[in-house]
Amino acid sequence: MASQDELKKQVGYKAVDDYVKSGMVIGLGTGSTAYFAVERVGEKLKSGELKDIIAIPTSIRTKEQAESLGIPLTTLDTHSKLDVAIDGADSVDPALNLVKGGGGALFREKIVEMASTKFIVIVDESKLCSGLGPHFPLPVEVLPFCVEHTMRCLEGLPAMQGARAVLRRGSSENNKEDGTEIAVSDNQCYLVDMHFTEPIKDPVALAEQIIKTVGVVEHGLFTEMTTAVIIAGKEGISEKLA
């Protein structure tokens, strides 16, 4: 049976093979699944199968990986419109709404993926859930100033359903407490993970309430953004279109 890494590789490669064509401006996601999509772009550029690709990375570590593979990079400042972005997700609900940001790159991921004509999500089947929330804590990127106040404000939002705010410590690249120092994002912000005991009833309403909270930079609810989800499972690869 294929390992989890092998499944991630399958969907990462398929997304690039199916959706990336020569001459495109593409968004490169962040995380263990998106890693393989970036790898595939580098391979196909090196072989000459792809030409004239320009890419926008969604994190410092994706930028470093892309540079090591010789992928030409740019930024949204010069290219505000992308043809396609490919990225992983931490949770995918039946309506293809997502929770992202387990790897701490949610702001850069969202600004790039909102600017993309198509947004292709690549996951293994463990990321599918019946409702967002309990499956994976919801990350929120916040300014360091008065962070405990911001956390209390988040906990008090009507659509938050009593979720508990936990300040991320240790590495910003996962939500495990693997250190005592407060985790810092690529944007020099803090990360708060919201822990739910029951599914989020209205992700769109919650997204609106979070982003209106003073002190919040961005949140990991990616609602009504997905073009397609490519899923690797025991039975092979499947695709769900929005």
Side-chain angles (χ1 to χ4, degrees), residues 217-230:
V217 175
E218 194 46 83
H219 57 78
L221 281 169
F222 286 49
T223 60
E224 301 170 335
M225 286 175 59
T226 307
T227 305
V229 180
I230 302 175

Side-chain angles (χ1 to χ4, degrees), residues 30 58-62 104-105 108 141 172-173 184-189 191:
T30 295
T58 54
S59 65
I60 291 169
R61 63 187 186 277
T62 297
R108 296 191 186 193
E141 190 164 352
S172 66
E173 295 180 14
V184 177
S185 73
D186 284 351
N187 309 310
Q188 303 305 303
C189 293
L191 295 154

Side-chain angles (χ1 to χ4, degrees), residues 4-13 32-33 36 124:
Q4 194 167 29
D5 269 355
E6 184 57 38
L7 294 175
K8 290 176 178 183
K9 183 174 181 177
Q10 287 172 15
V11 290
Y13 277 39
S32 58
T33 309
F36 290 107
D124 64 78

Side-chain angles (χ1 to χ4, degrees), residues 105-137:
L106 58 108
F107 170 76
R108 296 191 186 193
E109 289 170 342
K110 191 174 279 187
I111 197 170
V112 168
E113 286 148 15
M114 287 287 285
S116 300
T117 304
K118 290 182 178 176
F119 175 33
I120 310 305
V121 180
I122 47 176
V123 294
D124 64 78
E125 63 188 358
S126 71
K127 305 299 171 66
L128 304 180
C129 64
S130 56
L132 303 177
H135 180 259
F136 193 94

Side-chain angles (χ1 to χ4, degrees), residues 41-139:
V41 172
E43 271 185 14
K44 295 185 87 168
L45 279 170
K46 192 175 179 183
S47 72
E49 202 175 335
L50 283 177
K51 293 182 171 65
D52 303 320
I53 291 289
I54 309 174
I56 300 179
T58 54
S59 65
I60 291 169
R61 63 187 186 277
T62 297
K63 176 177 181 283
E64 290 168 349
Q65 182 196 1
E67 286 172 341
S68 76
L69 296 169
I71 300 171
L73 299 180
T74 187
T75 72
L76 287 173
D77 282 339
T78 53
H79 291 77
S80 280
K81 199 75 190 154
L82 289 77
D83 296 292
V84 65
I86 299 170
D87 205 353
D90 299 301
S91 295
V92 183
D93 77 5
L96 307 189
N97 294 313
L98 316 173
V99 165
K100 288 177 50 55
L106 58 108
F107 170 76
R108 296 191 186 193
E109 289 170 342
K110 191 174 279 187
I111 197 170
V112 168
E113 286 148 15
M114 287 287 285
S116 300
T117 304
K118 290 182 178 176
F119 175 33
I120 310 305
V121 180
I122 47 176
V123 294
D124 64 78
E125 63 188 358
S126 71
K127 305 299 171 66
L128 304 180
C129 64
S130 56
L132 303 177
H135 180 259
F136 193 94
L138 171 63

